[in-house]
Amino acid sequence: MSAKKLLIFNWKMAPDSLKEAISLFERTRTCADKTRNHAETIIAPPFVYLSNLSKVKSSLFGRSPVGRQKSKVALAAQNVFWEDSVAYTGEISASMLKDLGVEYAIIGHSERRKYLSAEGGFASGGNETDKMINKKILASLKAGLKVILCVGEPTQRGQTRTERGLTRNIKWAKNYVKNQLEKDLKNLIQNLKPKTQNLIIAYEPLWSIGTGHSDAPQDAAEMINFIKNILKAKTYNLKPKVLYGGSVNSKNIAKFLKHPEIDGALVGHASLKPKEVKAIIEIASKMC
Ligand code: PGA
C-alpha cells in the first residue's frame, strides 16, 4: 500500500457568504472523516472565513453527523504576508494565522504571481515576485506554518517560439520551474525545521488552471519527478510531497494519482461542488 495521497481544496474567492462556507466545510470534512483510509485533506478558504471554520473544525459549534470529535481536516490560508506586525494595512501575518489554528499557507499561487512567459511578460493577480514569495516562505516556516508552494510554467508546452519556430518545450518548462524553485527556496535550509513535513510543492502549470485543460498525467508525473530530483539533491536534501494542480476533477483525478510520484492534488473549482468533492475524496482514499 502506498503512502496517503494529499488533497488540497482551494476555494479561491468563494463562496459569497459565511453560511455557505460553513455548509461546504461541513460537507467536505464529513466526507473526509468518514472515508476509510482517507486521503489527507486540507481546505483553503478565503481569509474572512478562517476564524469561524477553525471553530467549526474543533467542533465548538460543529454540526457534523460524524459527531463532535476533532476533525482530521486541516485549514490553509491562501496567502500570507512576510512581516510580523503593524504598519501593513490589509495584510495578514503568519503568527495571526497560527493563532487561529491554521496549519498551512498556500504561497506563490499563479493567481498571485507576476509571470514572465517565453513570449513576453504578463502579470496576474497579486503581481508577486519570486523575491516576495521567498520572504513569505521563510516567514511562514519561522512562525511554524507549513508551506504549500505553487510552481509551474505559464505557457503550454509545445507553444514556445524559439529561433527555430514553435517547439515542444518540456525543456523550457523544466528550466522555468527549476528557476522558480531556486529563487523561491533561497536560504531555505536553515529555516526549515523539521525538514520535510513543513514544505509541500504543488506543480500547477498556469495554462491548466481553471481552463478545463488539465496536463497530460504522464507529463505532470515527469515534471514532478524532475522537481523531486532537484529537491533531493545535496543543496536541499528534501523529500517533500509534490502534488499536481490544474483542472483536477472527479473524472481525471485517478489518472494523476495512479502515478506513484504524484503525491496528491490541489483542486480549485471542483472544490466548490460537494458531489465532486465527495467523489474526489473517495477516489483518492482508494488510492492510498
Ligand atoms: P482549478 O484550480 O482546479 O480550478 O484549475 C487549481 C488551483 O486553484 O490552483
Side-chain angles (χ1 to χ4, degrees), residues 137-138 140-142 145-147 185 187-200 231 236-240:
I137 293 172
L138 298 185
S140 299
L141 293 171
K142 201 166 155 209
L145 276 181
K146 296 173 190 167
V147 166
L185 299 181
N187 301 327
L188 173 85
I189 293 309
Q190 50 273 51
N191 290 276
L192 194 65
K193 293 180 241 157
K195 276 193 166 182
T196 312
Q197 304 91 299
N198 290 0
L199 180 71
I200 293 162
L231 296 178
Y236 301 103
N237 193 20
L238 293 171
K239 284 186 191 158

Side-chain angles (χ1 to χ4, degrees), residues 61-273:
F61 54 92
R63 301 183 301 269
S64 163
V66 286
R68 288 175 178 266
Q69 79 271 28
K70 208 166 171 278
S71 173
K72 291 172 199 130
V73 165
L75 282 170
Q78 295 176 14
N79 185 24
V80 61
F81 194 59
W82 61 82
E83 292 291 349
D84 212 23
S85 63
V86 190
Y88 300 98
T89 304
E91 298 293 354
I92 306 286
S93 72
S95 43
M96 289 174 184
L97 294 171
K98 277 288 288 180
D99 185 57
L100 284 185
V102 174
E103 284 176 58
Y104 296 84
I106 296 178
I107 299 181
H109 191 281
S110 67
E111 285 152 19
R112 302 206 53 82
R113 277 181 187 266
K114 177 183 177 125
Y115 264 97
L116 285 177
S117 77
E119 290 131 335
F122 65 97
S124 78
N127 233 353
E128 290 181 13
T129 61
D130 287 303
K131 205 165 178 184
M132 291 159 78
I133 289 162
N134 177 249
K135 283 187 183 188
K136 290 181 178 200
I137 293 172
L138 298 185
S140 299
L141 293 171
K142 201 166 155 209
L145 276 181
K146 296 173 190 167
V147 166
I148 301 153
L149 168 64
C150 301
V151 294
E153 78 283 2
T155 315
Q156 189 157 13
R157 295 175 212 129
Q159 289 186 343
T160 295
R161 190 166 290 285
T162 68
E163 54 285 2
R164 282 176 286 130
L166 285 175
T167 62
R168 181 175 143 80
N169 55 350
I170 185 92
K171 201 169 159 212
W172 178 81
K174 283 181 175 172
N175 275 339
Y176 193 97
V177 168
K178 183 167 181 263
N179 198 268
Q180 276 183 324
L181 286 171
E182 277 166 11
K183 288 181 178 160
D184 296 349
L185 299 181
K186 204 170 159 201
N187 301 327
L188 173 85
I189 293 309
Q190 50 273 51
N191 290 276
L192 194 65
K193 293 180 241 157
K195 276 193 166 182
T196 312
Q197 304 91 299
N198 290 0
L199 180 71
I200 293 162
I201 308 285
Y203 167 58
E204 300 206 295
L206 186 144
W207 48 268
S208 73
I209 296 178
T211 59
H213 301 295
S214 54
D215 198 358
Q218 189 57 50
D219 286 352
E222 183 179 336
M223 181 64 94
I224 284 173
N225 243 331
F226 174 74
I227 292 171
K228 288 188 168 179
N229 283 335
I230 293 174
L231 296 178
K232 219 167 35 186
K234 235 188 179 166
T235 334
Y236 301 103
N237 193 20
L238 293 171
K239 284 186 191 158
K241 287 197 168 181
V242 185
L243 321 180
Y244 167 75
S247 297
V248 171
N249 55 41
S250 62
K251 294 204 171 63
N252 61 24
I253 189 160
K255 293 182 194 142
F256 288 98
L257 298 190
K258 77 167 201 227
H259 290 272
E261 52 275 82
I262 303 184
D263 296 312
L266 198 162
V267 183
H269 287 82
S271 65
L272 300 170
K273 299 178 190 148

